[in-house]
Amino acid sequence: MSTLDPKWGTPGLMHDPQLLAHFVPRPTDVLITTAPKAGTTWMQQILHQLRTQGDVSFESIFDEVPWLEAPRTGVTWQDQLAQYESLPNPRIFKTHCTYAQTPGTEVARLILTVRDPRDCCVSFFHHMNGLNLELLPGAPASMHFDDMQQCVDRFLSFGAWYRNVASWWPHRADPNVLLLRYQDISADLAAAIDRIVAFLGWQLTPEGRACTIEHASFAWMKANSDKFTRQSKGAPSVFKDGAFIRQGKVGGHKAELSREQAAALVARAHADLPPECIEFLELA
Ligand code: A3P
């Protein structure tokens, strides 16, 4: 058996290097690439709505927009890739991989969403503590935080947000890349949708546009949380009520982080990212 290039990473609960190494990208593919908690699911819903002009018949968004590198219980990586192969164009995938680890960066279109690390950290706290761990066999005890400080410490030591943004930032102006800020999508969802459609060159009817705006609103997604919290059709929701499509606020961290915690998260961004990126993220 051939050994994999170490760049695809090591196997984990949500990461199968085999899926990345053997994935065959298509020019029609769209990859949503985000640091965790930066609005990934929101973009999955926006793109699925645009692709279908408003379909809401699905039970789980993950059946429509799979998480590329995440293994599925009881499914081999070969079968999972065969399932990806069977999907019609345009396929849409979500990934949390860095630029170097994402297959298809030369082939597919890529939509990046970035969000303030302080809001991502707070969202991560509620994500972990909102999980129904009994529904996730094999989940380590570390998937629960005793308090916010523990979450901040782990956010910094794991460093996924910083690695992810640092890796994508140099590619923000590549012709096949669209970089969007969470706060801009939040301030004007319709404008963000128009930018995405123009970038992808997809056809959109006025009715499809109106449906996308409605179905990608926070209120609609909150009222239909089940579609975004189960890993596949028929599976139970892995989150407690209201824990995942939670608040959807810009700056919500102010009510939950101490001054020191917020400062530590921002200081690390200053250390890891170039000044233009800090300015773009409004972290100066
Ligand atoms: P909060 O926990 O701050 O509410 P991800 O999908 O990357 O895990 O990100 C989840 C975050 O996106 C959550 O943030 C969630 O509420 C927010 N979100 C999901 N849908 C949204 C929407 N339609 N509008 C605004 N925020 C949304």
Side-chain angles (χ1 to χ4, degrees):
M1 204 173 115
S2 64
T3 44
L4 287 186
D5 187 330
K7 80 167 186 172
W8 301 119
T10 48
L13 201 59
M14 305 296 181
H15 188 97
D16 185 346
Q18 299 283 3
L19 291 168
L20 296 169
H22 299 285
F23 176 71
V24 181
R26 302 175 189 163
T28 46
D29 287 343
V30 184
L31 304 184
I32 299 164
T33 152
T34 53
K37 310 316 296 171
T40 325
T41 317
W42 195 6
M43 195 53 65
Q44 287 174 276
Q45 171 70 340
I46 291 172
L47 289 180
H48 180 63
Q49 292 306 302
L50 293 175
R51 172 176 63 180
T52 59
Q53 317 264 342
D55 166 52
V56 290
S57 65
F58 62 93
E59 279 184 40
S60 164
I61 193 67
F62 293 97
D63 291 329
E64 313 303 321
V65 180
W67 184 352
L68 184 60
E69 68 273 18
R72 295 206 205 124
T73 315
V75 182
T76 64
W77 62 265
Q78 292 92 337
D79 283 350
Q80 195 165 325
L81 285 175
Q83 201 263 323
Y84 291 170
E85 272 301 308
S86 73
L87 294 172
N89 295 335
R91 302 183 302 179
I92 309 168
F93 297 91
K94 107 173 199 191
T95 175
H96 289 317
C97 290
T98 59
Y99 179 84
Q101 215 169 50
T102 301
T105 48
E106 306 294 321
V107 178
R109 255 91 55 89
L110 303 133
I111 299 186
L112 280 70
T113 311
V114 287
R115 185 183 190 192
D116 189 312
R118 294 165 294 188
D119 283 341
C120 287
C121 183
V122 168
S123 183
F124 184 52
F125 174 84
H126 292 287
H127 174 117
M128 293 304 232
N129 285 4
L131 281 168
N132 270 323
L133 285 181
E134 63 278 14
L135 295 175
L136 295 167
S142 59
M143 283 176 83
H144 177 87
F145 296 120
D146 295 338
D147 54 31
M148 189 61 83
Q149 188 58 47
Q150 197 179 50
C151 177
V152 171
D153 291 343
R154 197 154 325 136
F155 193 89
L156 289 167
S157 64
F158 187 49
W161 186 95
Y162 303 94
R163 254 193 320 281
N164 186 288
V165 177
S167 84
W168 284 100
W169 178 251
H171 299 280
R172 65 195 179 284
D174 289 2
N176 61 337
V177 169
L178 177 67
L179 170 61
L180 299 169
R181 297 190 306 186
Y182 181 97
Q183 61 261 49
D184 297 328
I185 312 172
S186 177
D188 194 341
L189 177 60
I193 285 169
D194 292 340
R195 276 191 75 187
I196 293 167
V197 171
F199 169 70
L200 294 174
W202 287 356
Q203 298 301 313
L204 185 65
T205 62
E207 296 75 24
R209 183 175 182 274
C211 282
T212 302
I213 293 168
E214 185 194 343
H215 299 155
S217 68
F218 184 77
W220 194 93
M221 288 181 64
K222 182 103 179 154
N224 293 276
S225 291
D226 267 10
K227 292 184 186 294
F228 308 105
T229 55
R230 48 181 91 211
Q231 291 174 323
S232 59
K233 189 175 170 176
S237 169
V238 288
F239 287 92
K240 297 169 195 154
D241 270 357
F244 187 74
I245 307 293
R246 191 183 61 93
Q247 258 193 353
K249 273 195 185 164
V250 175
H253 67 85
K254 288 177 194 145
E256 300 200 53
L257 293 178
S258 70
R259 186 190 291 257
E260 292 73 26
Q261 289 165 341
L265 293 166
V266 171
R268 172 73 179 276
H270 281 248
D272 287 7
L273 301 170
E276 319 82 71
C277 181
I278 295 295
E279 205 172 306
F280 179 76
L281 293 165
E282 299 178 325
L283 296 175

